[in-house]
Every structure is written in C-alpha cells, then in structure tokens.
Amino acid sequence: MIGSSAIVGWIPSDGGSGTVKPYLLGGKSPGEVNPDQGDLTIVNGSLKIESVSSRLYMRFQLTATLPRQSLLYAVGPAGFFPSSPDFRLREHRFVTTTTINYNTGSQSVVKVSPHSKLKKTHGLMNMFGWGILIIVGAIVARHMKQWDPTWFYAHIALQTTGFLLGLTGVICGLVLENRLKANNVSKHKGLGITILVMGVLQMLALLARPDKQSKYRKYWNWYHHNIGRLLIILAISNIFYGIHLAKAGTSWNGGYGFAVAVLALTAIGLEVRKFLKK
C-alpha cells in the first residue's frame, strides 16, 4: 500500500455533513499518510456521500488515463473521524482487495485482516503454550512418577516451555490490542492476564517446593495441583473465546478442539488405568 493514493470519506456521528479527501499513503504511520495529496483526481460534480442504516455509501468518478486493476477497500476504526487541521487517519480495521480484469469484467476478491501474522502468532503461542504443553506437563506429573526422576525433569521442561510460549502469546496480544485499538477484548485480556499470573505463581512455587518429609508439603501439593487445574480450565476456555473474538473460523476451532479431545481422552484413559491398578 505504501506509495498508493486513496479516496477517504466519512460522516461524523453527530449528523454533520460528509467529507471526502484524497490521501497519499506515504508510509505505515499516521504522520506519513498525507491529506489532499496523491494522484487521484475526482471529476467535478461526481461526488456523493451518504449514510443509510449505519452504512456509508460513497460515489465518485476519477480522471485516469489507465484504469487501476488492483483496488483496496478499507474500514477505519469505530468512533473515530479525521478532524482539522491535519485530518490524520488511524489504522484501518478491515481490508478487502479486488483485482479487476476490464477485458472480461471478472474480478477476484481477497479479504485481509491487519496484523494477521501477529494475530496468528498470538493465537498459536497461547494455544501451544497454555493450551497444550501445560496440559501434557500436568499429565506427565500425575501418571509418569514410576520413572523417577525422569518424570520430574520432563514435567519441568514442558511447563517451562509452555510458560515461555504462553508469555510470548500474552505479549503479542497486548501489542495487538494497542495497534488495533480494540474495545471488545477486555474479558479476553483479563482472563489472559489472570492465566499469566497463575503461570508465574506456578513457576515461583518450584522455588518454594518443600521436601517430601516436610509437614508443609501437603499444603504445597494442594496449592500447586489446584492452581494448575484452574489454570488449564481457564486457558482452554480463553483460547476458544479468543478464536470466537477473532472470527478465525471452524478450522481453528476444529484443530484445537481435536487436540483438547485427544488430551482429554488420554487423561481419562490413564485415570481409569490408575484406578484399576489400585
């Protein structure tokens, strides 16, 4: 998009008159997107902008020697309108790109979400960290103790790796919220921070782990086990909630749902085996 020209229109929510301006997309920051610049010229008298049922319609005719085959349509952040004197824009929320073949009249449309790589990183890090490795580590700690001390080192390695991946996912989420100016993620963010705090407490619990002969060991076990269980429940719930907020589709729901089902069946099978051995 850098170096392209754009036509931007808006109608303030207070019912004022609509405004349309050409822009030059000189860079990715708001200060590099300059109003009243660019190489798009609107034909006099062809411009019309109106709002119908909360949907904005804009019509104009451009003077161009060669029609543009690649067009991009973007929607700005909700509740924000450029104002004088600089008429600066903020980053768009949604993008649709269209390529038109003027010889055949056909077109191809591709919807693109801003920061899609950051969104995927946020989702995958949390999914593999909190939502898979932490669960595998808990299963190892509960059902593999006959292989001592291998189970302990495996448990520590899995939980530490899961924590670091989850921490990365939370940081990506905070950066993403700041860049998108999202206003509908407060619950998702709150759950994520709660999970992170629980993860930190679990990591610190390792340093305060009393000896097996200590009278405080049973209290430490109760704390460590139950905080871990609650963390797993919240993590699974928040991952599915995040998939819902991102409108990531059935592939993400199905993929993670399958992983959770495999882990759940494995845990149930091991619990049944443990019960029968008693």
Side-chain angles (χ1 to χ4, degrees):
M1 290 175 56
I2 296 177
S4 301
S5 298
I7 301 295
V8 181
W10 63 90
I11 298 178
S13 55
D14 59 7
S17 59
T19 303
V20 177
K21 279 185 172 294
Y23 281 82
L24 174 64
L25 310 181
K28 293 184 177 181
S29 65
E32 296 174 299
V33 180
N34 303 307
D36 299 316
Q37 295 185 29
D39 57 0
L40 297 178
T41 304
I42 300 176
V43 175
N44 290 333
S46 67
L47 177 62
K48 184 177 182 181
I49 181 171
E50 61 180 333
S51 178
V52 179
S53 301
S54 300
R55 187 183 295 269
L56 185 68
Y57 294 89
M58 187 166 55
R59 183 187 68 192
F60 55 86
Q61 183 178 351
L62 298 175
T63 299
T65 56
L66 182 66
R68 309 290 177 89
Q69 285 189 311
S70 298
L71 303 176
L72 184 146
Y73 306 90
V75 179
F80 170 79
F81 303 98
S83 58
S84 61
D86 52 9
F87 292 98
R88 294 298 183 196
L89 300 178
R90 291 182 182 175
E91 188 170 10
H92 46 265
R93 291 179 293 158
F94 306 106
V95 175
T96 297
T97 60
T98 301
T99 302
I100 301 175
N101 187 322
Y102 292 101
N103 293 324
T104 63
S106 62
Q107 65 176 348
S108 60
V109 179
V110 178
K111 293 184 178 181
V112 181
S113 177
H115 305 298
S116 58
K117 290 184 178 179
L118 185 58
K119 286 181 179 179
K120 288 181 180 179
T121 302
H122 167 64
L124 290 172
M125 291 297 102
N126 285 312
M127 188 179 294
F128 282 104
W130 304 119
I132 294 179
L133 289 181
I134 292 292
I135 300 175
V136 174
I139 292 174
V140 167
R142 181 165 176 80
H143 298 286
M144 307 299 173
K145 290 184 177 178
Q146 63 270 32
W147 293 296
D148 191 41
T150 303
W151 76 266
F152 179 74
Y153 295 120
H155 174 66
I156 294 299
L158 286 165
Q159 303 305 75
T160 301
T161 305
F163 173 79
L164 293 175
L165 290 178
L167 175 61
T168 303
V170 171
I171 293 173
C172 288
L174 294 175
V175 173
L176 189 61
E177 180 199 21
N178 181 64
R179 291 186 179 179
L180 294 180
K181 307 296 181 183
N183 55 10
N184 64 335
V185 297
S186 56
K187 292 181 180 178
H188 182 59
K189 176 182 176 181
L191 283 171
I193 293 176
T194 301
I195 292 165
L196 177 61
V197 170
M198 287 183 172
V200 172
L201 292 175
Q202 290 290 72
M203 298 301 292
L204 292 176
L206 177 64
L207 303 177
R209 182 171 176 258
D211 294 332
K212 291 182 179 180
Q213 294 76 22
S214 173
K215 63 179 181 180
Y216 299 108
R217 183 58 179 261
K218 63 179 181 179
Y219 302 109
W220 184 91
N221 285 339
W222 182 90
Y223 157 81
H224 185 60
H225 297 165
N226 286 288
I227 292 295
R229 293 185 182 104
L230 182 58
L231 186 155
I232 289 172
I233 293 171
L234 291 178
I236 293 173
S237 302
N238 205 32
I239 288 169
F240 280 117
Y241 184 45
I243 293 172
H244 166 72
L245 288 177
K247 298 179 181 178
T250 56
S251 60
W252 282 74
N253 274 316
Y256 184 60
F258 176 78
V260 170
V262 170
L263 292 172
L265 290 173
T266 301
I268 292 171
L270 290 171
E271 287 292 335
V272 171
R273 180 187 175 189
K274 187 174 182 178
F275 177 77
L276 293 177
K277 283 187 175 182
K278 289 183 179 180

